[in-house]
Every structure is written in structure tokens, then in C-alpha cells.
Amino acid sequence: MNPSFHIPYILPTALLALALVLKFPTFLRAWRDPDVRATTLLLTWATAVLVVITPVNIERLNVLTGIPNIAAPWAYSFLTAFCATGLTMIMRWREEPSERRRRRMRRVYWIYAGVIAALWLTFLLADVPTARIYDLDTYYAGTPWMREHILLYIAAHMVSSLVAVSMLWKWFPEVADRWLKSGVVFLQLGFASGLVFDAAKLAAISARWSGRDWDVLSTQAAPPFALLQAAFVALGFLVPQAGPFLQKWIRDQRDYRRLAPLWRAVRVLAPAAAQARFGWWAPLDLRLVQRQQRIHDALRVLTPYFDAALHRRARQAAQAVHGSRKAEGIAGAVTIRAAIDAHRSGGPPPAHPHAPHLGPVVSDHIEDIAAALHHPHTVEDVRRRAVTTESANSHA
């Protein structure tokens, strides 16, 4: 058996298994959510199909059980369960919750459960003593009961693919959300690939019935489309759920890193109250909220030490070189650094009876300030110019 022949099976199986592993924590937290349960089941069935149909695993099942071709009902049962779950998930997405939708979904489950039972019954009735790893469908195309077994799984798969493609085609123009729209496109590609798989299998089987040998359609042309269907359908159901999560994670990661210089600058101040410590394993959004809270708490402590005159001079000095928004961030960074030095000196807050209140001005620009602190040399240059301007005005 050529190991390189198994590589096309390994790649999509590994991707599906990885998606299932990543989805499992969500399933543990929200297993009561029907969408979460259905997505987890769909990934489970798809992964199981690809695990079973890998040629090396077909051979292992035959040897371990002592039953030739036992992989067939297992693989076809998982495939049928995958079809049923896929159809019901499309129904969940397309239609609002209702008694009618629940009845239709239950009907799908019962029909496909009946198909699975019939698959096992026909296999038990069939006489298939010779183990076939690559060409079982065509080799036993004319065998009583095994013929029905093969046609049953192909028919169930073809009907589900046709219904899915039809529902998705009608639904696509109504979808507004870009992540969901991407998912629908992947699903359409997946179920269309499934139809090509079915057509190739049926053509090869029909050729056997008429005495011709088109086995290559079943053994070589069809399998890649089965792998494509598994991958595309899994992506179709994952992208609408994982996409928004990944988008938020990227945004939170960007904000978390962007605030790092400001957080490092103010953490020299003792917090007003003991804070919970979160490790790197804590959810990113929780760590981001804590970082933001720590910064705002520190700014409230520093507000009495803000020097409005220094802020004004720093902004003017920065505007001479940079734009207004960047100048606001640099001026805030200079003001915060000066306030931290004043606070750490241990003296009372300086008196500025006629100075404007800078607290909200600084707090409203923490992202710009944090961005400015990513360039400490620029902040220090503006600070020196602001101090020089103050000295020149004082001597004048």
C-alpha cells in the first residue's frame, strides 16, 4: 500500500480534527445551545467519515473485527449522519425558530436514522467475503443487498446535497452578514462537490451493470470530491462562527498590545485597591478590560498632577512637526510622564487655580497617547522643546 496515496486523506482529516478540538471548549461551556451542539456533531461526523475511509484504517478495521468490509457501513453511517446534521443546520440558519421548523428537523433526523438502520441491515444481509479497500462500490455493484447498500448511501447523500444546494441558492441573495455569506459560499461549493462525487460513483456503478469498466471514476475521480466536500462544508459552518470571534480577537490583541507602553508607564503607581491577577491563559478580552481599567485608575490618581500649561506647550511643539491627532497623543504622553514624576516625588499636587481640568482631555485620548509612547524618542524630543519654551518665556 503506497503511503503517499493516504496523504490527501490525512490533510483534511487533520484540519477537521483541529477544528473539532478548537470547538470542544465552546461545546463544554455552551452544550445546551442547539447551534453549538449541531456544529460539534457535524465536525464529529465529518472527521469520523474521513478517519474510517482512509485506506489504512479500512484495512485495520477488517483485521481487528475479522469482518471483511465492515468499514463500509461505519463510513456510510457517519456520512449519512453528516448529511442530516448539515441539512438541519441550514434550516436553523435560514428560518426563525418555530414549531414548523422543529417538525421538519425532526423529520430529517428520523428519515436519515432510518437510512442508517437500513445500511446496517443491508450489509448484514449481503454476502461480501472479499475485503475491498479501494473499489468496494464497483466490485460489489451487482451483489444482492450490497448493491442496495451502496445505492442507499449514494441516494441519501445525493438527495441531501441537492436539497442543500437548492436551499442555499435561494437563501444567498437574502444574506447580508459578510461572514455568513462567506459560509454560504463554502457550503455551496461543498455540496456541489458532493454531487460530483455521487455522479462519478453512479457512473462507475452503472458501467459495471452494463459490462463496462469505468472503475477509475469511483476509485480515483470521486474520492477527491468527497474530501473537498468535507473541507468546504466544515469551513462553511465554521467561518460564520469563527470569523467574528477571530475578528474580535485580532482587534482585542491589537488594542492590548497598543496599550502596553501606557500600561507600563502607569503601573509604577500603586493601584487604589488590590487587583486580581490574570495569567497569559486568561481570556484576552478579560486581560484587555483589566489593562484598560488599570490605566483609567492610574489617570484618576494623576489628574491633580496634570500641568495644563505643559500640555498646551507640548501640543504646540508637536503640531509644528506632526498632525493634530498625533500631537494630542504626544502632548498627553508628555503630561502623563511629568505627572508620574511629580506624584513619585512625594510632594502635594501643584496648585493650578485657573488651569482647565485636563482629566477628561487625557482620558479621551489614551489610544493616541499609547501610540505616542511607542516612540519614546519623539515624546522626549517634544518634552525638551516644551520645557525650553517654558524657560525662554520665564526669562523673557
Side-chain angles (χ1 to χ4, degrees), residues 199-212:
K201 286 284 185 181
L202 284 176
I205 292 168
S206 300
R208 273 289 182 132
W209 291 343
S210 60
R212 286 172 291 178

Side-chain angles (χ1 to χ4, degrees), residues 76-106:
Y76 301 156
S77 295
F78 287 135
L79 180 62
T80 303
F82 171 81
C83 293
T85 309
L87 283 177
T88 55
M89 280 202 70
I90 294 171
M91 292 177 186
R92 289 182 193 279
W93 284 1
R94 286 188 66 205
E95 305 171 24
E96 293 295 326
S98 66
E99 184 58 35
R100 178 176 176 271
R101 190 188 77 170
R102 282 192 293 272
R103 284 198 305 269
R104 290 178 63 205
M105 288 169 59
R106 282 197 297 267

Side-chain angles (χ1 to χ4, degrees), residues 142-179:
T143 302
W145 293 113
M146 195 61 186
R147 174 184 55 221
E148 287 75 16
H149 177 87
I150 294 165
L151 291 176
L152 186 60
Y153 97 81
I154 293 176
H157 184 255
M158 181 175 284
V159 168
S160 70
S161 296
L162 282 171
V163 172
V165 167
S166 175
M167 288 195 298
L168 291 167
W169 183 263
K170 293 176 182 176
W171 185 38
F172 182 78
E174 304 171 14
V175 180
D177 181 80
R178 67 188 182 96
W179 288 111

Side-chain angles (χ1 to χ4, degrees), residues 20-96:
L20 183 59
V21 169
L22 294 175
K23 190 70 180 176
F24 196 66
T26 304
F27 173 73
L28 292 178
R29 289 195 304 269
W31 63 272
R32 294 180 183 275
D33 187 329
D35 288 341
V36 172
R37 285 203 307 270
T39 304
T40 307
L41 280 174
L42 180 111
L43 291 172
T44 301
W45 303 142
T47 305
V49 171
L50 294 186
V51 168
V52 174
I53 68 171
T54 303
V56 67
N57 290 332
I58 293 175
E59 189 173 38
R60 284 172 181 163
L61 274 173
N62 291 338
V63 172
L64 287 173
T65 62
I67 304 174
N69 305 306
I70 188 64
W74 277 112
Y76 301 156
S77 295
F78 287 135
L79 180 62
T80 303
F82 171 81
C83 293
T85 309
L87 283 177
T88 55
M89 280 202 70
I90 294 171
M91 292 177 186
R92 289 182 193 279
W93 284 1
R94 286 188 66 205
E95 305 171 24
E96 293 295 326

